[in-house]
């Protein structure tokens, strides 16, 4: 598929996954290795497999619509042989959809008995559909409380948004384990880092600005690639991490990265910039060296800065003042910002059903504590923010890549096409483990879309000023 010269300019997935980092100070962040004992095929036909969580939710949606319409509806012939447990899951999801419709129409007295039935039949430790309904039923209850004035909207926003943001952005063992065992972050990161590598590889001085670095594992990918260059060896790699949280944990990540760079014979320095809000950033915060190649990496940041809109505007202007070679943006790929509540609920529910299906396959019963952390925090608390809060207090707004294209183009930013090497790297990572086989990778115009069984989960876009 790729020429020899093209592959030489790519990152080395094999080197990254087979490196022994236990001899460095990265021991808290182990890397995944392919389990050769697993022989599952990469893509089983649906007719030979049990229905996924998304399949069951789609059947429930079809049954729900059919109960209210005489129009012809899609059929699911391959799913007619459902087990009793699967049909119970379909009925449970249908009850949740019915409750959401009643809430959207502000018929709260009708919705409450439906939610009680959902609560009775769901569980945080049950089947994937039971777990999904458990968390989404609570999000709907929060919406009722907000709509009826039982809980002030600002109180819900303050409590939920702060906790979720802190968990998402703070380095932790749980976050590192989740990154190791669930494919989406690694697939997207490999594609994004490949794009950055292609834009800075000919420079002697490279400056990476990471807006919300988290565990920092992604930069070992770039270090591998830079250390393997036979020509134009770099003089210095600098990583600047911008955070709105405490500097201490981020500085520890920096120490690990600098130590790892030394094992690669790379000169690396690390700096932390702590601000109260990303909107406060300006050129004066950064230590820049004339002639260095600057690249910006923003993972799940822009969707948290849309309210008020001038916060994101300020960040983009600050990035523009740095004159970066490229800005790589990774975001949730979902239309979860509809003004119509029911539309937003349905879109979010299908997105979550694909995510729960992924967690069941990648974590299953072998790692229930980690799965519980992911489902209760990322999906449970996240659903409350998306579904229970309206107006400017809903501080996380996940949108599709087309919306971000329209926004960034307002600032004179041109979308850069992700190369075939970026797609190739993403595909290699997605095929790394048999449990990751349903992870799908494709292009939407110039951007990369990472999904689960075709359901879009993340987008990776590259921008040049």
């Amino acid at each position: 598929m790729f020429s020899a010269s093209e592959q030489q300019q790519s990152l080395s997935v094999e080197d990254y996954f087979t490196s022994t980092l236990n001899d460095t100070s990265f021991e808290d962040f182990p890397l995944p290795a392919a389990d050769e004992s697993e022989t599952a095929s990469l893509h089983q036909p649906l007719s030979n497999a049990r229905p996924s969580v998304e399949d069951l939710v789609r059947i429930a949606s079809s049954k729900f619509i059919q109960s209210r319409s005489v129009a012809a509806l899609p059929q699911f012939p391959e799913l007619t042989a459902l087990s009793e447990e699967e049909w119970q899951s379909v009925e449970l999801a249908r009850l949740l959809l019915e409750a959401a419709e009643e809430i959207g129409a502000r018929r709260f007295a009708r919705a409450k008995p439906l939610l009680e039935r959902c609560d009775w039949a769901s569980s945080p430790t049950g089947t994937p559909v039971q777990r999904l309904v458990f968390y989404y039923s609570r999000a709907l209850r929060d919406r009722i409380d907000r709509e009826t004035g039982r809980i002030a909207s600002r109180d819900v926003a303050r409590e939920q948004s702060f906790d979720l943001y802190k968990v998402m952005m703070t380095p932790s063992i749980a976050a590192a384990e989740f990154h190791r065992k669930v494919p989406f972050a690694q697939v997207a990161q490999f594609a994004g880092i490949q794009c950055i590598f292609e834009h800075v590889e000919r420079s002697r001085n490279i400056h990476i600005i990471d807006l919300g670095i988290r565990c920092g594992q992604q930069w070992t990918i770039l270090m591998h690639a830079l250390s393997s260059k036979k020509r134009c060896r770099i003089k210095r790699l600098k990583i600047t991490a911008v955070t709105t949280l405490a500097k201490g944990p981020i500085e520890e990540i920096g120490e690990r990265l600098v130590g790892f760079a030394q094992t690669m014979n790379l000169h690396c320095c690390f700096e932390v910039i702590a601000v109260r809000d990303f909107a406060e950033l300006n050129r004066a915060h950064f230590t820049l060296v004339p002639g260095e190649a600057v690249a910006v990496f923003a993972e799940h940041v822009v969707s948290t800065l849309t309210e008020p809109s001038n916060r994101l505007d300020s960040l983009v202007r600050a990035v523009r003042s740095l004159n970066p070679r490229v800005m790589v943006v990774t975001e949730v790929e979902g239309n979860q910002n509809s003004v119509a509540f029911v539309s937003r609920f349905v879109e979010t529910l299908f997105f979550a059903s694909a995510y729960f299906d992924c967690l069941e396959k990648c974590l299953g019963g072998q790692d229930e504590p980690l799965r519980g952390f992911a489902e209760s925090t990322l999906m449970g608390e996240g659903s409350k923010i998306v579904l229970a809060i309206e107006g400017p207090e809903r501080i996380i707004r996940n949108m599709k890549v087309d919306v971000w294209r329209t926004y960034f183009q307002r600032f004179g930013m041109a979308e850069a096409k992700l190369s075939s090497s970026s797609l190739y790297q993403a595909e290699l990572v997605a095929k790394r483990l048999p449990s990751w086989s349903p992870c799908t990778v494709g292009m939407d115009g110039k951007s990369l879309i990472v999904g689960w069984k075709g359901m879009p989960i993340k987008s990776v876009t590259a921008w040049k000023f």
Side-chain angles (χ1 to χ4, degrees):
M1 182 184 297
F2 300 95
S3 66
S5 60
E6 192 170 13
Q7 290 197 35
Q8 286 174 356
Q9 297 174 359
S10 299
L11 312 182
S12 173
V13 175
E14 193 64 30
D15 285 348
Y16 174 66
F17 281 113
T18 58
S19 291
T20 302
L21 296 184
N22 290 336
D23 293 334
T24 73
S25 52
F26 254 94
E27 65 274 8
D28 291 337
F29 304 100
L31 298 171
D35 186 352
E36 297 179 357
S37 65
E38 297 187 52
T39 58
S41 62
L42 289 181
H43 293 283
Q44 289 183 321
L46 185 58
S47 58
N48 295 332
R50 297 315 306 167
S52 67
V53 181
E54 185 186 351
D55 292 330
L56 296 174
V57 171
R58 287 193 183 281
I59 296 173
S61 177
S62 179
K63 286 172 63 66
F64 172 72
I65 297 172
Q66 193 169 30
S67 68
R68 285 160 168 72
S69 172
V70 295
L73 295 169
Q75 299 299 314
F76 301 86
E78 70 274 28
L79 298 175
T80 54
L82 295 179
S83 67
E84 181 179 353
E85 180 183 276
E86 289 160 349
W87 277 118
Q88 289 174 352
S89 294
V90 168
E91 176 61 17
L92 182 56
R94 188 193 65 77
L95 283 174
L96 185 71
L97 287 162
E98 189 174 345
E101 183 186 56
E102 299 294 353
I103 292 171
R106 298 184 61 81
R107 295 190 289 262
F108 303 131
R110 293 186 183 182
K112 287 181 179 179
L114 294 169
L115 291 179
E116 288 175 0
R117 292 171 65 186
C118 288
D119 292 343
W120 180 83
S122 64
S123 166
T125 58
T127 68
V129 172
Q130 287 174 341
R131 302 196 303 269
L132 175 64
V133 172
F134 176 85
Y135 293 114
Y136 268 63
S137 176
R138 277 148 182 74
L140 293 180
R141 285 188 180 279
D142 274 13
R143 182 175 180 87
I144 292 177
D145 290 342
R146 188 189 70 84
E147 291 282 341
T148 57
R150 182 179 176 185
I151 297 178
S153 139
R154 65 177 61 89
D155 294 336
V156 177
R158 184 185 304 115
E159 177 185 353
Q160 302 301 338
S161 64
F162 174 79
D163 289 346
L164 181 61
Y165 179 82
K166 185 174 183 179
V167 170
M168 287 174 57
M169 303 300 288
T170 302
S172 68
I173 297 300
E177 277 292 288
F178 182 77
H179 178 277
R180 184 171 77 89
K181 295 181 177 180
V182 178
F184 306 124
Q186 291 191 42
V187 174
Q189 285 176 356
F190 254 93
I193 303 305
Q194 170 68 34
C195 177
I196 288 177
F197 175 68
E198 292 168 357
H199 282 84
V200 302
E201 63 171 325
R202 297 184 182 277
S203 302
R204 297 289 309 279
N205 290 299
I206 298 172
H207 188 171
I208 304 297
I209 297 172
D210 193 332
L211 306 177
I213 194 169
R214 294 176 173 82
C215 295
Q217 187 77 0
Q218 64 271 20
W219 299 119
T220 64
I221 309 172
L222 182 64
M223 291 176 187
H224 272 294
L226 294 174
S227 67
S228 64
K229 290 175 56 179
K230 294 181 173 58
R231 292 183 297 174
C232 192
R233 293 279 296 178
I234 72 167
K235 183 177 180 180
R236 185 187 71 155
L237 170 65
K238 180 177 181 179
I239 300 174
T240 297
V242 183
T243 184
T244 58
L245 303 176
K247 294 178 66 173
I250 308 301
E251 289 172 337
E252 292 178 5
I253 292 296
E255 292 174 1
R256 293 188 176 100
L257 286 171
V258 170
F260 181 81
Q262 291 174 350
T263 69
M264 298 281 104
N265 293 318
L266 290 175
H267 173 56
C268 177
C269 57
F270 189 90
E271 182 179 357
V272 181
I273 297 175
V275 292
R276 289 179 301 176
D277 192 304
F278 282 110
E280 297 178 358
L281 279 177
N282 58 60
R283 184 184 175 89
H285 282 102
F286 298 91
T287 304
L288 303 176
V289 175
E292 68 182 2
V294 177
V296 179
F297 188 74
E299 187 176 27
H300 301 303
V301 170
V302 299
S303 60
T304 68
L305 298 174
T306 59
E307 291 293 341
S309 60
N310 63 345
R311 294 174 67 218
L312 184 54
D313 294 351
S314 297
L315 174 64
V316 174
R317 292 191 186 99
V319 171
R320 186 187 184 108
S321 71
L322 304 175
N323 193 28
R325 299 280 180 90
V326 68
M327 178 179 181
V328 172
V329 176
T330 299
E331 281 297 334
V332 168
E333 178 65 6
N335 182 23
Q336 300 172 12
N337 195 39
S338 173
V339 176
F341 167 73
V342 173
S343 297
R344 189 164 79 242
F345 175 84
V346 172
E347 178 79 20
T348 306
L349 182 65
F350 279 114
F351 178 91
S353 68
Y355 222 110
F356 270 69
D357 190 69
C358 170
L359 296 179
E360 179 71 10
K361 185 170 180 62
C362 296
L363 302 179
Q366 289 72 41
D367 203 338
E368 288 192 10
L370 181 58
R371 191 191 66 198
F373 157 79
E375 291 178 349
S376 64
T377 303
L378 301 181
M379 295 290 103
E381 298 302 320
S383 67
K384 290 180 182 179
I385 292 175
V386 174
L387 300 176
I389 303 172
E390 296 291 351
E393 292 166 348
R394 177 152 47 90
I395 54 91
I396 296 179
R397 294 176 178 265
N398 297 322
M399 294 175 277
K400 286 189 173 291
V401 68
D402 286 343
V403 177
W404 297 121
R405 285 186 179 122
T406 301
Y407 174 81
F408 286 126
Q409 287 168 0
R410 286 174 43 206
F411 289 85
M413 298 170 71
E415 187 176 5
K417 183 177 181 179
L418 293 180
S419 69
S420 55
S421 291
S422 291
L423 178 60
Y424 179 64
Q425 297 303 319
E427 289 175 337
L428 284 181
V429 178
K431 295 176 182 177
R432 185 68 193 175
L433 297 173
S435 61
W436 293 6
S437 61
C439 182
T440 54
V441 179
M443 299 296 291
D444 180 328
K446 297 179 179 180
S447 302
L448 183 111
I449 305 296
V450 184
W452 186 259
K453 296 181 179 178
M455 169 65 74
I457 299 294
K458 286 194 176 189
S459 65
V460 182
T461 56
W463 299 92
K464 302 179 77 171
F465 291 91

